[in-house]
Amino acid sequence: MIILIMAVFALLGFLANMMLENRVIRLLTALIMFIGLIISVIGIVANMHDHYGMKAVTTTKKQQIYTAGDANQGFGMLLYQGVGTNGKENVYIYKTSSDAKKTFVAKPDLKTTSRRESIAGNKAYKVTKTTRWVYKNNTYKLLFGIADNNKSLKHRRTIYQVPSTWIALTTTQAKSLSAKMTPKTDAEKAAAEQQKQLAELAQKDPDKAAQMQVKAVKAALDSK
């Protein structure tokens, strides 16, 4: 619509300049049409650059995620790997369902930020807060809708909520985990015996067993 309005202002200004004989009326009409044309151009620029006539609307989606490791290992595992030169953003790896055969890789982009936080319970979640630009009302949408920018993405924030029965590991740590957890000394063999006892505990209190396994994994990664 705004393009049509601009065309009308330009056409009326041209016709006024060509057809009106009274010099004062001709100049005044041409000036009004020129001002209208300039305002229309400013409106387009403001809409494209500063989202004039639009507002930011945020929606939140929460979904349960599942361990990237073996479902029978007793504790959950969220894998991540830094990307980019500054390493501030990560690729996250997990499964989207309990029976998924393959892991899902969540990749960041220029408008997406992600972080992790600890929560209570024994289930992990991915919380995505998406903010989009939408038109304030149908009038603005009618005027500037030709730009096809309604519901354009402003930014997206992703939070991975990890309980104490889960552990977040880099892909490098995950690859070395098996070797680090393999008992070599007498002390490590004794620890391995305790792991067997965890299997019995898991039957009675799976959350407690998972927390103890996570603690053991963290200890192994810190000490080696």
Side-chain angles (χ1 to χ4, degrees):
M1 177 62 81
I2 192 68
I3 301 299
L4 178 60
I5 292 175
M6 289 177 60
V8 170
F9 278 130
L11 178 61
L12 291 179
F14 174 77
L15 292 176
N17 190 56
M18 296 295 295
M19 300 179 66
L20 293 178
E21 296 182 358
N22 187 297
R23 183 173 183 274
V24 175
I25 297 178
R26 182 174 69 248
L27 291 177
L28 182 60
T29 302
L31 178 61
I32 293 174
M33 294 303 107
F34 179 74
I35 292 174
L37 183 61
I38 293 300
I39 292 175
S40 299
V41 172
I42 292 174
I44 291 177
V45 174
N47 174 258
M48 296 179 63
H49 187 268
D50 299 315
H51 300 93
Y52 172 71
M54 309 183 82
K55 61 181 178 180
V57 175
T58 300
T59 57
T60 301
K61 178 182 179 182
K62 183 175 182 179
Q63 64 182 111
Q64 184 177 351
I65 60 176
Y66 299 84
T67 179
D70 188 340
N72 297 319
Q73 67 186 359
F75 61 94
M77 186 183 296
L78 175 66
L79 302 182
Y80 65 94
Q81 182 64 51
V83 295
T85 55
N86 56 18
K88 291 183 178 180
E89 287 301 326
N90 297 309
V91 168
Y92 283 92
I93 304 172
Y94 53 89
K95 290 178 182 177
T96 56
S97 65
S98 59
D99 57 353
K101 302 299 181 182
K102 296 182 179 180
T103 56
F104 177 79
V105 180
K107 299 179 181 178
D109 55 50
L110 295 177
K111 292 187 176 182
T112 301
T113 58
S114 59
R115 63 183 178 88
R116 300 185 302 277
E117 69 177 19
S118 299
I119 60 169
N122 57 11
K123 295 180 180 180
Y125 297 93
K126 176 183 178 181
V127 179
T128 305
K129 296 183 177 181
T130 303
T131 302
R132 297 184 180 276
W133 290 109
V134 299
Y135 282 106
K136 294 179 179 178
N137 52 51
N138 289 332
T139 300
Y140 284 115
K141 185 176 180 180
L142 180 63
L143 283 173
F144 303 108
I146 192 173
D148 195 26
N149 58 354
N150 192 35
K151 297 183 180 180
S152 58
L153 179 65
K154 181 182 181 183
H155 56 71
R156 181 182 290 111
R157 294 187 176 93
T158 302
I159 303 172
Y160 292 92
Q161 298 180 331
V162 183
S164 58
T165 56
W166 277 55
I167 185 171
L169 299 173
T170 66
T171 53
T172 301
Q173 289 174 322
K175 289 178 182 178
S176 63
L177 185 59
S178 177
K180 290 180 181 293
M181 296 297 290
T182 300
K184 301 179 181 65
T185 66
D186 291 341
E188 291 175 344
K189 290 178 181 179
E193 184 63 29
Q194 293 179 354
Q195 292 295 315
K196 294 180 181 179
Q197 297 175 5
L198 284 177
E200 299 178 4
L201 178 61
Q203 301 297 322
K204 302 177 181 178
D205 191 344
D207 287 355
K208 181 64 176 180
Q211 291 170 356
M212 294 178 65
Q213 286 181 283
V214 168
K215 184 177 180 180
V217 170
K218 290 181 177 179
L221 292 172
D222 289 340
S223 63
K224 299 180 181 180

